[in-house]
Every structure is written in C-alpha cells, then in structure tokens.
Amino acid sequence: RLDAERMRPILQDYGMLDNPVSLGLANRYMMNLELHEDWHCAQCLLAVCKLEPGENIDEPYWSEKQHLAQKGSKWLVPDEWNKDMPQVGVFGMTFLQGFNESDMDLRERLAEEFLGW
C-alpha cells in the first residue's frame, strides 16, 4: 500500500496510465464468448469498467471485427454490450486500473451477480 502511494505521483508525472509492474500481459484478457463461463467473465469485467471511474479499457479486440484492425481502424466496445453482449467470437482487452482506487465492494457484488461467487 505504501509503495503504491509513493509511486502514484511518479506515474502521474510521466503520464502513465497504469502501474509498470503490470507490464506485459498481466492485465490482458482474452475470452471466447461462445463459452458460457468466458461470456459471464466478459460481462463482469465490462461492468467493472462501466461502474468504476476512469478509462479502464485499452486495446479492445473482437474477432468478428478483426477486419477493422487490418485496415488500420480501431474497434471500440459498443455501449450495447453492457446490456446485450454477443455470444460469438473472441473478445479481448487490457484492463487499466489507472490512478483510481479499486471498489472492492462493487467488484464483490458484480462477481456474485455475474459469476455466482
């Protein structure tokens, strides 16, 4: 906890959006939306992104829109996915915590709602 408090001003000074100790694929998620469990995990993750403050989604990917990336365009997660997520293709994203505190009560409630935990 103390290290995070010391690191926050340094990250802000350099304009970094996430803690560098999570570099690599630590916060990268890839989910097959045709699998029931992955679909529920994707719903839960997007709910966290919607309800916690800040921009948490980076490098979103959906195999059904791969042609956009091949043309140099960037695909964004549609708002409709918060209510009606498709059950086809592979969805991926990097989760950025940024400088916001995690809302553990919210995350526990969402885990219970979407994942039955």
Side-chain angles (χ1 to χ4, degrees), residues 1-16 19-20 98-99:
R1 182 85 181 147
L2 185 58
D3 286 341
E5 290 174 15
R6 290 180 184 160
M7 190 66 131
R8 184 180 311 257
I10 296 168
L11 295 173
Q12 289 174 330
D13 285 347
Y14 286 99
M16 298 178 80
N19 190 325
F99 301 110

PDB file of all heavy atoms in Angstrom, residues 1-16 19-20 98-99:
ATOM      1  N   ARG A   1       0.829  -1.195   0.000  1.00  0.00           N
ATOM      2  CA  ARG A   1       0.000   0.000   0.000  1.00  0.00           C
ATOM      3  C   ARG A   1       0.873   1.259   0.000  1.00  0.00           C
ATOM      4  O   ARG A   1       0.612   2.189  -0.728  1.00  0.00           O
ATOM      5  CB  ARG A   1      -0.930  -0.070   1.221  1.00  0.00           C
ATOM      6  CG  ARG A   1      -1.862   1.058   1.320  1.00  0.00           C
ATOM      7  CD  ARG A   1      -3.081   0.756   0.480  1.00  0.00           C
ATOM      8  NE  ARG A   1      -3.974   1.876   0.573  1.00  0.00           N
ATOM      9  CZ  ARG A   1      -4.729   2.250  -0.400  1.00  0.00           C
ATOM     10  NH1 ARG A   1      -4.736   1.584  -1.498  1.00  0.00           N
ATOM     11  NH2 ARG A   1      -5.511   3.264  -0.275  1.00  0.00           N
ATOM     12  N   LEU A   2       1.907   1.264   0.834  1.00  0.00           N
ATOM     13  CA  LEU A   2       2.800   2.410   0.912  1.00  0.00           C
ATOM     14  C   LEU A   2       3.535   2.626  -0.401  1.00  0.00           C
ATOM     15  O   LEU A   2       3.678   3.765  -0.862  1.00  0.00           O
ATOM     16  CB  LEU A   2       3.792   2.223   2.065  1.00  0.00           C
ATOM     17  CG  LEU A   2       4.725   3.389   2.355  1.00  0.00           C
ATOM     18  CD1 LEU A   2       3.938   4.650   2.660  1.00  0.00           C
ATOM     19  CD2 LEU A   2       5.635   3.056   3.531  1.00  0.00           C
ATOM     20  N   ASP A   3       3.983   1.542  -1.037  1.00  0.00           N
ATOM     21  CA  ASP A   3       4.660   1.657  -2.335  1.00  0.00           C
ATOM     22  C   ASP A   3       3.738   2.276  -3.383  1.00  0.00           C
ATOM     23  O   ASP A   3       4.177   3.094  -4.194  1.00  0.00           O
ATOM     24  CB  ASP A   3       5.143   0.288  -2.816  1.00  0.00           C
ATOM     25  CG  ASP A   3       6.349  -0.196  -2.038  1.00  0.00           C
ATOM     26  OD1 ASP A   3       7.019   0.639  -1.391  1.00  0.00           O
ATOM     27  OD2 ASP A   3       6.619  -1.407  -2.077  1.00  0.00           O
ATOM     28  N   ALA A   4       2.476   1.879  -3.376  1.00  0.00           N
ATOM     29  CA  ALA A   4       1.520   2.425  -4.343  1.00  0.00           C
ATOM     30  C   ALA A   4       1.353   3.929  -4.139  1.00  0.00           C
ATOM     31  O   ALA A   4       1.270   4.690  -5.111  1.00  0.00           O
ATOM     32  CB  ALA A   4       0.178   1.710  -4.220  1.00  0.00           C
ATOM     33  N   GLU A   5       1.314   4.371  -2.896  1.00  0.00           N
ATOM     34  CA  GLU A   5       1.172   5.800  -2.618  1.00  0.00           C
ATOM     35  C   GLU A   5       2.400   6.577  -3.073  1.00  0.00           C
ATOM     36  O   GLU A   5       2.295   7.693  -3.577  1.00  0.00           O
ATOM     37  CB  GLU A   5       0.917   6.018  -1.127  1.00  0.00           C
ATOM     38  CG  GLU A   5      -0.446   5.536  -0.683  1.00  0.00           C
ATOM     39  CD  GLU A   5      -0.644   5.609   0.822  1.00  0.00           C
ATOM     40  OE1 GLU A   5       0.146   6.296   1.508  1.00  0.00           O
ATOM     41  OE2 GLU A   5      -1.584   4.966   1.307  1.00  0.00           O
ATOM     42  N   ARG A   6       3.571   5.997  -2.907  1.00  0.00           N
ATOM     43  CA  ARG A   6       4.806   6.653  -3.353  1.00  0.00           C
ATOM     44  C   ARG A   6       4.909   6.671  -4.873  1.00  0.00           C
ATOM     45  O   ARG A   6       5.447   7.605  -5.456  1.00  0.00           O
ATOM     46  CB  ARG A   6       6.022   5.928  -2.782  1.00  0.00           C
ATOM     47  CG  ARG A   6       6.191   6.104  -1.299  1.00  0.00           C
ATOM     48  CD  ARG A   6       7.411   5.352  -0.810  1.00  0.00           C
ATOM     49  NE  ARG A   6       7.531   5.429   0.615  1.00  0.00           N
ATOM     50  CZ  ARG A   6       8.234   4.592   1.350  1.00  0.00           C
ATOM     51  NH1 ARG A   6       8.887   3.589   0.771  1.00  0.00           N
ATOM     52  NH2 ARG A   6       8.300   4.731   2.649  1.00  0.00           N
ATOM     53  N   MET A   7       4.399   5.642  -5.509  1.00  0.00           N
ATOM     54  CA  MET A   7       4.520   5.503  -6.953  1.00  0.00           C
ATOM     55  C   MET A   7       3.532   6.394  -7.711  1.00  0.00           C
ATOM     56  O   MET A   7       3.831   6.858  -8.815  1.00  0.00           O
ATOM     57  CB  MET A   7       4.303   4.039  -7.341  1.00  0.00           C
ATOM     58  CG  MET A   7       4.636   3.746  -8.753  1.00  0.00           C
ATOM     59  SD  MET A   7       6.384   3.944  -9.030  1.00  0.00           S
ATOM     60  CE  MET A   7       6.716   2.450  -9.864  1.00  0.00           C
ATOM     61  N   ARG A   8       2.391   6.670  -7.131  1.00  0.00           N
ATOM     62  CA  ARG A   8       1.329   7.423  -7.814  1.00  0.00           C
ATOM     63  C   ARG A   8       1.815   8.753  -8.398  1.00  0.00           C
ATOM     64  O   ARG A   8       1.601   9.033  -9.583  1.00  0.00           O
ATOM     65  CB  ARG A   8       0.148   7.635  -6.877  1.00  0.00           C
ATOM     66  CG  ARG A   8      -1.027   8.321  -7.518  1.00  0.00           C
ATOM     67  CD  ARG A   8      -2.176   8.501  -6.541  1.00  0.00           C
ATOM     68  NE  ARG A   8      -2.478   7.264  -5.852  1.00  0.00           N
ATOM     69  CZ  ARG A   8      -3.518   6.482  -6.137  1.00  0.00           C
ATOM     70  NH1 ARG A   8      -4.345   6.829  -7.091  1.00  0.00           N
ATOM     71  NH2 ARG A   8      -3.733   5.371  -5.474  1.00  0.00           N
ATOM     72  N   PRO A   9       2.496   9.640  -7.636  1.00  0.00           N
ATOM     73  CA  PRO A   9       2.939  10.910  -8.232  1.00  0.00           C
ATOM     74  C   PRO A   9       3.945  10.720  -9.364  1.00  0.00           C
ATOM     75  O   PRO A   9       3.943  11.483 -10.340  1.00  0.00           O
ATOM     76  CB  PRO A   9       3.569  11.677  -7.073  1.00  0.00           C
ATOM     77  CG  PRO A   9       3.385  10.878  -5.856  1.00  0.00           C
ATOM     78  CD  PRO A   9       2.805   9.562  -6.234  1.00  0.00           C
ATOM     79  N   ILE A  10       4.770   9.704  -9.259  1.00  0.00           N
ATOM     80  CA  ILE A  10       5.755   9.445 -10.312  1.00  0.00           C
ATOM     81  C   ILE A  10       5.045   9.038 -11.599  1.00  0.00           C
ATOM     82  O   ILE A  10       5.354   9.535 -12.685  1.00  0.00           O
ATOM     83  CB  ILE A  10       6.755   8.357  -9.873  1.00  0.00           C
ATOM     84  CG1 ILE A  10       7.568   8.859  -8.676  1.00  0.00           C
ATOM     85  CG2 ILE A  10       7.666   7.941 -11.026  1.00  0.00           C
ATOM     86  CD1 ILE A  10       8.369   7.784  -7.977  1.00  0.00           C
ATOM     87  N   LEU A  11       4.072   8.139 -11.484  1.00  0.00           N
ATOM     88  CA  LEU A  11       3.319   7.701 -12.655  1.00  0.00           C
ATOM     89  C   LEU A  11       2.570   8.872 -13.280  1.00  0.00           C
ATOM     90  O   LEU A  11       2.536   9.018 -14.509  1.00  0.00           O
ATOM     91  CB  LEU A  11       2.343   6.591 -12.279  1.00  0.00           C
ATOM     92  CG  LEU A  11       2.961   5.273 -11.809  1.00  0.00           C
ATOM     93  CD1 LEU A  11       1.876   4.334 -11.316  1.00  0.00           C
ATOM     94  CD2 LEU A  11       3.774   4.631 -12.893  1.00  0.00           C
ATOM     95  N   GLN A  12       1.988   9.729 -12.449  1.00  0.00           N
ATOM     96  CA  GLN A  12       1.262  10.882 -12.964  1.00  0.00           C
ATOM     97  C   GLN A  12       2.206  11.850 -13.673  1.00  0.00           C
ATOM     98  O   GLN A  12       1.863  12.396 -14.710  1.00  0.00           O
ATOM     99  CB  GLN A  12       0.509  11.576 -11.830  1.00  0.00           C
ATOM    100  CG  GLN A  12      -0.674  10.761 -11.352  1.00  0.00           C
ATOM    101  CD  GLN A  12      -1.348  11.351 -10.127  1.00  0.00           C
ATOM    102  OE1 GLN A  12      -0.714  12.002  -9.304  1.00  0.00           O
ATOM    103  NE2 GLN A  12      -2.640  11.093 -10.004  1.00  0.00           N
ATOM    104  N   ASP A  13       3.389  12.066 -13.115  1.00  0.00           N
ATOM    105  CA  ASP A  13       4.365  12.966 -13.744  1.00  0.00           C
ATOM    106  C   ASP A  13       4.737  12.505 -15.146  1.00  0.00           C
ATOM    107  O   ASP A  13       4.965  13.319 -16.035  1.00  0.00           O
ATOM    108  CB  ASP A  13       5.643  13.070 -12.900  1.00  0.00           C
ATOM    109  CG  ASP A  13       5.455  13.926 -11.660  1.00  0.00           C
ATOM    110  OD1 ASP A  13       4.437  14.640 -11.570  1.00  0.00           O
ATOM    111  OD2 ASP A  13       6.324  13.864 -10.770  1.00  0.00           O
ATOM    112  N   TYR A  14       4.809  11.203 -15.343  1.00  0.00           N
ATOM    113  CA  TYR A  14       5.185  10.656 -16.648  1.00  0.00           C
ATOM    114  C   TYR A  14       3.978  10.338 -17.530  1.00  0.00           C
ATOM    115  O   TYR A  14       4.136   9.800 -18.627  1.00  0.00           O
ATOM    116  CB  TYR A  14       6.059   9.407 -16.472  1.00  0.00           C
ATOM    117  CG  TYR A  14       7.455   9.748 -16.026  1.00  0.00           C
ATOM    118  CD1 TYR A  14       7.824   9.645 -14.694  1.00  0.00           C
ATOM    119  CD2 TYR A  14       8.404  10.204 -16.935  1.00  0.00           C
ATOM    120  CE1 TYR A  14       9.102   9.967 -14.270  1.00  0.00           C
ATOM    121  CE2 TYR A  14       9.681  10.538 -16.526  1.00  0.00           C
ATOM    122  CZ  TYR A  14      10.024  10.422 -15.195  1.00  0.00           C
ATOM    123  OH  TYR A  14      11.286  10.756 -14.791  1.00  0.00           O
ATOM    124  N   GLY A  15       2.797  10.649 -17.042  1.00  0.00           N
ATOM    125  CA  GLY A  15       1.594  10.430 -17.841  1.00  0.00           C
ATOM    126  C   GLY A  15       1.276   8.970 -18.071  1.00  0.00           C
ATOM    127  O   GLY A  15       0.638   8.624 -19.053  1.00  0.00           O
ATOM    128  N   MET A  16       1.701   8.107 -17.176  1.00  0.00           N
ATOM    129  CA  MET A  16       1.445   6.674 -17.339  1.00  0.00           C
ATOM    130  C   MET A  16       0.040   6.350 -16.829  1.00  0.00           C
ATOM    131  O   MET A  16      -0.401   6.896 -15.823  1.00  0.00           O
ATOM    132  CB  MET A  16       2.494   5.862 -16.591  1.00  0.00           C
ATOM    133  CG  MET A  16       3.896   6.104 -17.128  1.00  0.00           C
ATOM    134  SD  MET A  16       5.151   5.195 -16.217  1.00  0.00           S
ATOM    135  CE  MET A  16       4.960   3.588 -16.962  1.00  0.00           C
ATOM    136  N   ASN A  19       0.264   1.011 -13.542  1.00  0.00           N
ATOM    137  CA  ASN A  19       1.482   0.698 -12.816  1.00  0.00           C
ATOM    138  C   ASN A  19       2.399  -0.160 -13.691  1.00  0.00           C
ATOM    139  O   ASN A  19       1.971  -1.178 -14.237  1.00  0.00           O
ATOM    140  CB  ASN A  19       1.124  -0.065 -11.541  1.00  0.00           C
ATOM    141  CG  ASN A  19       2.291  -0.214 -10.612  1.00  0.00           C
ATOM    142  OD1 ASN A  19       3.428  -0.359 -11.042  1.00  0.00           O
ATOM    143  ND2 ASN A  19       2.001  -0.181  -9.335  1.00  0.00           N
ATOM    144  N   PRO A  20       3.670   0.221 -13.852  1.00  0.00           N
ATOM    145  CA  PRO A  20       4.562  -0.527 -14.749  1.00  0.00           C
ATOM    146  C   PRO A  20       4.873  -1.939 -14.283  1.00  0.00           C
ATOM    147  O   PRO A  20       5.348  -2.741 -15.067  1.00  0.00           O
ATOM    148  CB  PRO A  20       5.828   0.334 -14.783  1.00  0.00           C
ATOM    149  CG  PRO A  20       5.784   1.153 -13.554  1.00  0.00           C
ATOM    150  CD  PRO A  20       4.330   1.360 -13.242  1.00  0.00           C
ATOM    151  N   GLY A  98      -5.320   2.422 -13.670  1.00  0.00           N
ATOM    152  CA  GLY A  98      -5.067   3.851 -13.594  1.00  0.00           C
ATOM    153  C   GLY A  98      -4.779   4.291 -12.172  1.00  0.00           C
ATOM    154  O   GLY A  98      -4.198   3.557 -11.382  1.00  0.00           O
ATOM    155  N   PHE A  99      -5.229   5.480 -11.827  1.00  0.00           N
ATOM    156  CA  PHE A  99      -4.960   6.044 -10.501  1.00  0.00           C
ATOM    157  C   PHE A  99      -6.160   5.953  -9.580  1.00  0.00           C
ATOM    158  O   PHE A  99      -6.165   6.516  -8.502  1.00  0.00           O
ATOM    159  CB  PHE A  99      -4.514   7.502 -10.640  1.00  0.00           C
ATOM    160  CG  PHE A  99      -3.284   7.637 -11.485  1.00  0.00           C
ATOM    161  CD1 PHE A  99      -3.339   8.199 -12.739  1.00  0.00           C
ATOM    162  CD2 PHE A  99      -2.065   7.172 -11.017  1.00  0.00           C
ATOM    163  CE1 PHE A  99      -2.202   8.312 -13.519  1.00  0.00           C
ATOM    164  CE2 PHE A  99      -0.929   7.270 -11.794  1.00  0.00           C
ATOM    165  CZ  PHE A  99      -0.995   7.846 -13.046  1.00  0.00           C
TER     166      PHE A  99
END
